[in-house]
Amino acid sequence: ASAVNYVQATGAATGSGPTISVQGSDTNIDLNVTTKGTGSHKFNTGTGEMVRVADSSGTGFVQLSGGTTPYIVAQGSTNANLSLGSNGTGTVFFRTNGGGTTQAAVAHTASAVNYVQVTGSSTGNSPTISAQGSDSSINFILATKGSGDFVVLTNSGYPFVVGGAASVVNYVRVIGGATGTAPLIQSLGSDTNIPLVLQPK
């Protein structure tokens, strides 16, 4: 009743695609495409299904916005989380250059209960990369490939480097101290007797 806005389907000449658009007297008009019950929206190309929008029976939704910096954001529910997931044991890749250059990857771990959390900070505080999960004590491992070095950088350069070596079995452990207890730097490993060497250049 009293409709002023409508859907218009327009054909196209050779080399162009037909258009389904919203028209009407209002200046800004949404296009609502709704399935019945828990049916999904399926977007197909000539090779098959490419995108599916499935029902989750929740109040939150995903918003895709274009512009100079397009973004994907969770909307609807108050404090809605946003999840990115692979299928089966697949990896989640973050890529640049039109999707052709891998910059980061999140690999699958079976039955994972512990994970990495990245947390920003307010003025005067520091961002944090931490280990989180259901275990009460969780190690945090940073690993290089092969015999590559682990390098800590500041604006002034290289204040700290952990050198890579082949077949490492002995290592250094640094432990802080509680009140009244001294910090500890110790040699550990599979050898029975392990010196601790401080070597100047």
Side-chain angles (χ1 to χ4, degrees), residues 142-166:
L142 298 174
T144 63
K145 183 177 180 181
S147 58
D149 291 345
F150 180 76
V151 181
V152 178
L153 287 175
T154 65
N155 282 334
S156 58
Y158 291 59
F160 186 75
V161 176
V162 178

Side-chain angles (χ1 to χ4, degrees), residues 14 18 47 75 90-91 102 119-120 131 139 172-173 201:
T14 302
T47 57
Q75 297 283 9
T91 298
T102 299
T119 307
N139 292 333
V172 176
R173 188 183 190 196
K201 181 178 179 181

Side-chain angles (χ1 to χ4, degrees), residues 4-10 19-24 29-33:
V4 295
N5 304 320
Y6 56 92
V7 175
Q8 178 173 295
T10 307
T19 302
I20 298 175
S21 64
V22 176
Q23 303 291 335
I29 310 169
D30 292 334
L31 175 62
N32 299 304
V33 182

Side-chain angles (χ1 to χ4, degrees), residues 37-59:
T38 59
S40 298
H41 291 285
K42 298 181 180 181
F43 298 87
N44 303 314
T45 66
T47 57
E49 184 177 338
M50 296 289 111
V51 177
R52 179 184 299 186
V53 182
D55 178 79
S56 64
S57 301
T59 57

Side-chain angles (χ1 to χ4, degrees), residues 26-180:
D26 289 348
T27 303
N28 302 301
I29 310 169
D30 292 334
L31 175 62
N32 299 304
V33 182
T34 306
T35 63
K36 183 177 181 180
T38 59
S40 298
H41 291 285
K42 298 181 180 181
F43 298 87
N44 303 314
T45 66
T47 57
E49 184 177 338
M50 296 289 111
V51 177
R52 179 184 299 186
V53 182
D55 178 79
S56 64
S57 301
T59 57
F61 59 90
V62 175
Q63 179 174 307
L64 308 178
S65 298
T68 305
T69 304
Y71 63 89
I72 302 172
V73 63
Q75 297 283 9
S77 299
T78 303
N79 302 321
N81 295 323
L82 179 64
S83 297
L84 298 175
S86 61
N87 188 26
T89 60
T91 298
V92 177
F93 291 96
F94 295 86
R95 291 176 167 148
T96 60
N97 194 27
T101 306
T102 299
Q103 301 294 349
V106 180
H108 171 77
T109 298
S111 304
V113 296
N114 303 320
Y115 55 91
V116 176
Q117 179 172 297
V118 179
T119 307
S121 64
S122 56
T123 302
N125 297 306
S126 301
T128 303
I129 301 175
S130 62
Q132 301 290 336
S134 60
D135 289 349
S136 57
S137 298
I138 309 170
N139 292 333
F140 193 92
I141 298 173
L142 298 174
T144 63
K145 183 177 180 181
S147 58
D149 291 345
F150 180 76
V151 181
V152 178
L153 287 175
T154 65
N155 282 334
S156 58
Y158 291 59
F160 186 75
V161 176
V162 178
S167 305
V168 172
V169 295
N170 302 321
Y171 57 93
V172 176
R173 188 183 190 196
V174 180
I175 306 174
T179 302

